[in-house]
């Protein structure tokens, strides 16, 4: 029997996302508030910056899927949405852990704003633990070897209800997207990176083309890793079967993207006086080396690494 309402754990995950995002955005407003954050420097700030954009994106797609909750494919929908809420909660939890690490390690004079932020951090952490327990107790359907329904199918159903989108929301269009998922992920990552970096250029008055290009590459790598990993977890786009060599290539690319983020997070400790050109070579080079190493390892092991 299919559920007529989404699990409470999913709704609790959305509430956690709203609380986390509201506090994170509040912390970035104003000089005194922003300067009072114990986690304003890397590597802690990198985790916060990534989650600040990734959490609302996950929350938005989960909320939008609730519009098609009673459509056919309920078992897949429930399981995928619970997994997406789990990914959202895990992302929030990792960011909160980074913030607590900053509170324990960073030595600065605390102001009233600092105490208020730590209080908000404690409340959000307690909520994250509660949501984690709810998700662990959630009795969804067991995963299949391959999804029969995906989020893209629900987008199709919702789009067919809107006169403006009805012409493009066709099964043929959905099949094309499923067959070209890497290109879709790359395009979405590029558009998001352009928006984020564009905001930095305007807000922080950047004029160095090299800095802008490097920031775009870093944001693109972050977004691409997020798209591929979250899709593997929650099944946003049910992809057709692929050769294991292609899967190994995609996995190595994601490993390289993650390595870029780690290199950026710790660049202050590793290369404190690096120029933009040096920083680009070191961070993107670390990603290239990690990608090559992961690809060589996966190719050596062959098919046994597949699920």
């Amino acid at each position: 029997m299919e559920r007529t309402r989404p699990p409470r754990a999913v709704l609790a995950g959305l509430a956690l996302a709203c609380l986390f995002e509201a506090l994170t955005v509040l912390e970035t407003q104003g000089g005194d508030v922003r300067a009072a954050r114990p986690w304003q420097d890397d590597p802690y700030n990198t985790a916060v910056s990534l989650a600040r954009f990734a959490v609302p994106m996950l929350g938005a797609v989960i909320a939008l899927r609730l519009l098609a909750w009673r459509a056919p494919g309920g078992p897949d929908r429930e399981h995928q949405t619970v997994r997406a809420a789990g990914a959202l909660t895990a992302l929030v939890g990792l960011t909160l852990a980074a913030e607590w690490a900053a509170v324990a390690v960073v030595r600065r004079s605390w102001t009233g704003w600092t105490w208020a932020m730590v209080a908000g951090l404690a409340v959000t952490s307690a909520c994250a633990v509660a949501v984690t327990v709810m998700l662990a107790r959630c009795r969804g359907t067991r995963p299949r070897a391959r999804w029969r329904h995906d989020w893209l199918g629900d987008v199709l159903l919702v789009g067919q209800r809107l006169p403006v989108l009805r012409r493009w929301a066709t099964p043929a269009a959905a099949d094309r997207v499923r067959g070209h998922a890497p290109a879709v992920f790359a395009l979405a990552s590029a558009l998001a990176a352009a928006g984020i970096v564009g905001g930095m250029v305007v807000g922080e008055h950047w004029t160095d083309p090299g800095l802008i290009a490097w920031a775009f590459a870093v944001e693109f790598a972050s977004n691409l890793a997020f798209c591929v990993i979250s899709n593997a977890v929650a099944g946003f786009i049910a992809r057709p079967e692929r050769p294991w060599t292609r899967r190994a290539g995609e996995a190595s690319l994601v490993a390289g993207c993650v390595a870029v983020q780690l290199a950026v997070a710790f660049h202050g400790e590793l290369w404190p006086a690096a120029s933009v050109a040096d920083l680009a070579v070191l961070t993107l080079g670390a990603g290239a080396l990690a990608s090559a190493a992961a690809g060589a390892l996966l190719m050596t092991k062959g098919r046994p690494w597949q699920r």
Side-chain angles (χ1 to χ4, degrees), residues 106-268:
V106 176
R107 293 290 178 262
R108 284 197 182 95
S109 58
W110 283 30
T111 66
W113 280 115
T114 307
W115 286 106
M117 291 179 193
V118 173
L121 175 60
V123 172
T124 309
S125 300
C127 293
V129 171
V131 174
T132 301
V133 173
M134 294 178 67
L135 288 168
R137 294 177 176 177
C138 190
R139 293 292 185 265
T141 56
R142 299 182 64 180
R144 296 187 178 95
R146 297 190 63 80
W147 304 116
R148 296 181 183 176
H149 301 83
D150 60 7
W151 302 61
L152 183 59
D154 287 354
V155 171
L156 185 69
L157 291 174
V158 175
Q160 289 174 343
R161 301 173 185 172
L162 304 176
V164 178
L165 300 178
R166 191 173 299 156
R167 180 179 177 182
W168 291 277
T170 63
D175 290 340
R176 283 195 295 271
V177 171
R178 294 186 181 102
H180 299 85
V184 174
F185 296 152
L187 177 60
S189 300
L191 292 174
I196 293 171
V197 175
M200 293 178 178
V201 170
V202 174
E204 301 182 20
H205 308 289
W206 288 358
T207 57
D208 186 347
L211 176 61
I212 296 172
W214 172 74
F216 177 84
V218 170
E219 288 294 340
F220 176 80
S222 171
N223 296 336
L224 185 60
F226 170 74
C227 287
V228 176
I229 294 173
S230 61
N231 188 70
V233 171
F236 296 118
I237 300 176
R239 303 181 61 185
E241 189 62 43
R242 309 178 305 283
W244 71 268
T245 51
R246 183 173 175 181
R247 296 182 58 153
E250 292 179 2
S252 63
L253 178 61
V254 171
C257 292
V258 173
V260 169
Q261 305 310 309
L262 292 175
V264 171
F266 291 96
H267 78 275

